[in-house]
Amino acid sequence: MIVRQLKAADIRNLTFVDWTPGEQVNIIYGQNAQGKTNLLESLWLFTGGKSFRGSKDSELVRIGAPRARLQCTFFAEGREQTAEITIEKRRKATLNGVALSSPTKLTGLFGAVVFSPDHLMMIKGSPELRRRFIDAALCQVQPSYIRTYSEYLHILQQRNALLKEWYHFPDDDQLEAWNTRMTEAAADIVVARRDYCRILREQATAVYHGLSSGREEFSLSYEADKPYEQMTREEIVDFWRQSLAESRKADIGAGFSTVGPHREDLSVSISGLSARHYGSQGQQRSAVLALKMAEAAVLRERTGEQPVILLDDVMSELDETRQDYLMNHLDGWQVFITCCDPSTISRLADGNVYKMDAGELK
Ligand SMILES: Nc1ncnc2c1ncn2[C@@H]1O[C@H](COP(=O)(O)OP(=O)(O)OP(=O)(O)O)[C@@H](O)[C@H]1O
Ligand SMILES: [Mg+2]
């Protein structure tokens, strides 16, 4: 997918922008608080998702304006398409002039992968963020995973409800029934996540190799402490049957399910050390970037459409070699990079440069 044109009116501090970006690397530089992130956020909205900053829709409308309007012309599925988004009380969207029942209908057509400094928590933060990353990525490349995942959540909630009331209403038959269902659902989740992590690892390793000029080795595995790598689905079912039986006492004591894929983690290491516990700032940033680029590569491989890459404020804390890789070696991708330091641009070999100044793009 390629973004050909973006028009944005009254979104955040962008009063009016009419922009025809280049098909490869686009650098948007400018001082703090000029509107660089706002521009990337405007593009991101065409994925149908919420703001990547977690903002409410009403906060996106320029203060004092009645509504925000966005129009994007992009090339996808073999033809040029135009989507429009209006944010007033609600967000509405049209595609090629036809109103959509919901802006989320754009998901899957307009693809984007975003890096923002908040995403560093993917490495630094709790396992929940890493599970969320794999689960969200899996839902995109393998839509049947949405059902697998909701089935597991449903079983987990029901089992937890039973455990919570156990003291007053112990029910062994029911617990056994939930255990049987949970082992099957858990195995489905584990197999999907493990297999996705395998292909993600291949792609992320290649990106990390490029970022670090081959000086550091990236590695990734799903729940490294468990022997999942070599196991068949049936063996994983057996594994969970046994684990649930073993945790029975602990589960009843705690009043919830103390084990299961809802407690598992993705481990990322750099040159043999955990990125979360030992990584430097630059290494952690590189690791997130490698994961994000890998997510994009898998999406391209699986869907045949390539997402655009939005890199917000990615350059700080990266040395020149790593910056050079991002600017000059992400061949074949349409990339949007924001930065503050204008000297960064001097190292851009080929691409377009724009300056953001008080909401105006020059
Ligand atoms: N709804 C809104 N209406 C008007 N202005 C807004 C709105 N939301 C945010 N802004 C303003 O937009 C400005 C620019 O924000 P943005 O986050 O895009 O800056 P930036 O160029 O990315 O800066 P930095 O380099 O610090 O990340 C901020 O000063 C903010 O006050
Ligand atoms: Mg910013």
Side-chain angles (χ1 to χ4, degrees):
M1 196 201 80
I2 297 284
V3 172
R4 293 266 163 84
Q5 189 186 29
L6 174 74
K7 287 188 188 175
D10 294 329
I11 179 136
R12 300 277 198 189
N13 74 332
L14 311 175
T15 313
F16 184 72
V17 166
D18 183 352
W19 185 32
T20 316
E23 296 200 356
Q24 272 135 29
V25 180
N26 296 280
I27 301 218
I28 303 110
Y29 77 101
Q31 294 189 319
N32 291 138
Q34 300 306 306
K36 304 181 296 293
T37 304
N38 296 344
L39 189 71
L40 297 195
E41 193 179 34
S42 302
L43 278 174
W44 173 259
L45 294 177
F46 287 95
T47 62
K50 292 254 162 237
S51 151
F52 60 74
R53 297 172 166 187
S55 309
K56 293 191 211 116
D57 275 4
S58 58
E59 291 162 0
L60 302 173
V61 181
R62 186 170 68 83
I63 292 165
R67 70 188 70 83
R69 294 186 59 198
L70 292 163
Q71 187 190 70
C72 184
T73 304
F74 56 99
F75 191 85
E77 296 183 344
R79 65 199 172 104
E80 197 159 275
Q81 319 221 28
T82 300
E84 282 181 7
I85 295 175
T86 315
I87 307 168
E88 220 166 328
K89 281 210 177 59
R90 289 180 48 222
R91 203 198 294 191
K92 288 185 207 150
T94 69
L95 179 64
N96 303 318
V98 179
L100 300 174
S101 56
S102 155
T104 55
K105 293 275 181 260
L106 289 167
T107 311
L109 178 66
F110 188 101
V113 165
V114 63
F115 168 91
S116 96
D118 291 346
H119 291 132
L120 284 167
M121 289 310 285
M122 249 174 70
I123 295 291
K124 296 204 269 194
S126 65
E128 191 191 345
L129 297 170
R130 285 179 290 283
R131 285 194 299 268
R132 209 185 292 161
F133 165 73
I134 325 178
D135 289 336
L138 259 170
C139 288
Q140 283 206 61
V141 291
Q142 189 181 310
S144 66
Y145 186 74
I146 301 170
R147 214 174 332 110
T148 309
Y149 185 68
S150 5
E151 162 81 357
Y152 180 76
L153 280 191
H154 170 73
I155 296 167
L156 182 64
Q157 277 163 3
Q158 299 297 315
R159 190 175 185 271
N160 283 349
L162 178 67
L163 290 166
K164 194 167 169 226
E165 299 298 324
W166 192 265
Y167 184 74
H168 299 292
F169 306 103
D171 186 340
D172 279 304
D173 290 344
Q174 218 186 350
L175 183 61
E176 199 42 49
W178 285 123
N179 283 2
T180 306
R181 284 183 68 182
M182 188 153 156
T183 53
E184 294 290 330
D188 287 341
I189 300 268
V190 168
V191 168
R193 286 183 183 166
R194 178 200 64 188
D195 292 353
Y196 180 71
C197 284
R198 273 186 195 149
I199 44 173
L200 199 68
R201 173 168 54 219
E202 212 174 284
Q203 302 283 352
T205 304
V207 177
Y208 201 98
H209 185 88
L211 272 168
S212 67
S213 312
R215 280 195 288 265
E216 293 165 7
E217 202 179 316
F218 177 91
S219 136
L220 159 81
S221 66
Y222 180 67
E223 197 60 10
D225 302 342
K226 298 196 181 118
Y228 286 150
E229 270 315 314
Q230 317 304 330
M231 286 162 98
T232 62
R233 184 181 177 285
E234 280 321 303
E235 286 168 336
I236 297 175
V237 170
D238 285 343
F239 172 85
W240 278 112
R241 190 172 299 129
Q242 202 181 330
S243 301
L244 290 183
E246 282 167 7
S247 69
R248 184 192 145 90
K249 214 172 150 198
D251 286 2
I252 290 172
F256 59 84
S257 309
T258 57
V259 295
H262 61 288
R263 304 293 285 262
E264 293 188 328
D265 198 1
L266 175 75
S267 50
V268 173
S269 64
I270 298 163
S271 302
L273 292 175
S274 149
R276 183 181 182 195
H277 298 113
Y278 296 98
S280 74
Q281 317 245 52
Q283 285 177 323
Q284 291 183 336
R285 195 167 275 252
S286 307
V288 180
L289 272 165
L291 288 173
K292 291 280 177 176
M293 286 305 301
E295 180 193 354
V298 176
L299 206 60
R300 173 164 73 180
E301 204 177 277
R302 293 290 172 93
T303 64
E305 265 317 318
Q306 72 171 26
V308 295
I309 313 289
L310 309 175
L311 304 178
D312 191 26
D313 224 345
V314 71
M315 295 303 195
S316 46
E317 288 166 3
L318 289 185
D319 58 34
E320 285 185 18
T321 328
R322 289 174 206 241
Q323 292 189 356
D324 172 67
Y325 178 78
L326 289 178
M327 286 191 293
N328 303 319
H329 300 280
L330 294 183
D331 301 325
W333 298 95
Q334 189 181 28
V335 189
F336 298 86
I337 304 177
T338 67
C339 64
C340 291
D341 180 8
S343 68
T344 313
I345 307 154
S346 60
R347 292 193 294 278
L348 177 70
D350 190 16
N352 296 4
V353 176
Y354 306 89
K355 184 176 184 194
M356 182 61 87
D357 191 4
E360 282 189 40
L361 199 60
K362 294 170 186 163

